[in-house]
Amino acid sequence: MEIIEKGTKIQPNERVYVMKCRVCGCKFTYKIKNIEWSYGGEEIIMCPQCNNYIGVPFIIRKYKGG
């Protein structure tokens, strides 16, 4: 069995989300697999520009850009 043509549906864990850094002010995208856990049990993500850890908000917004 082989795949002839790949589908276009995105898996739930492959969605791209957007976030604004509270430290340096840049905007970046991330996926669910990029989220880490802190010792306090909080979901955190590392900013790619300033390398600071930021808490992920309760409501995450999907990236709708190009």
Side-chain angles (χ1 to χ4, degrees):
M1 195 183 315
E2 66 181 70
I3 298 173
I4 297 172
E5 183 177 333
K6 291 190 176 186
T8 58
K9 291 190 175 182
I10 298 173
Q11 298 295 326
N13 59 353
E14 292 297 318
R15 289 189 180 137
V16 178
Y17 300 98
V18 65
M19 182 176 210
K20 184 176 181 180
C21 180
R22 296 182 195 116
V23 180
C24 67
C26 72
K27 284 188 179 179
F28 60 94
T29 58
Y30 66 95
K31 295 182 180 181
I32 295 293
K33 65 182 180 181
N34 300 121
I35 296 176
E36 302 173 13
W37 290 88
S38 68
Y39 291 112
E42 182 185 9
E43 293 178 329
I44 56 173
I45 193 159
M46 188 173 75
C47 174
Q49 182 173 328
C50 64
N51 295 327
N52 284 317
Y53 285 99
I54 309 156
V56 176
F58 180 71
I59 299 172
I60 53 179
R61 299 184 178 169
K62 287 191 273 186
Y63 181 62
K64 297 180 182 176

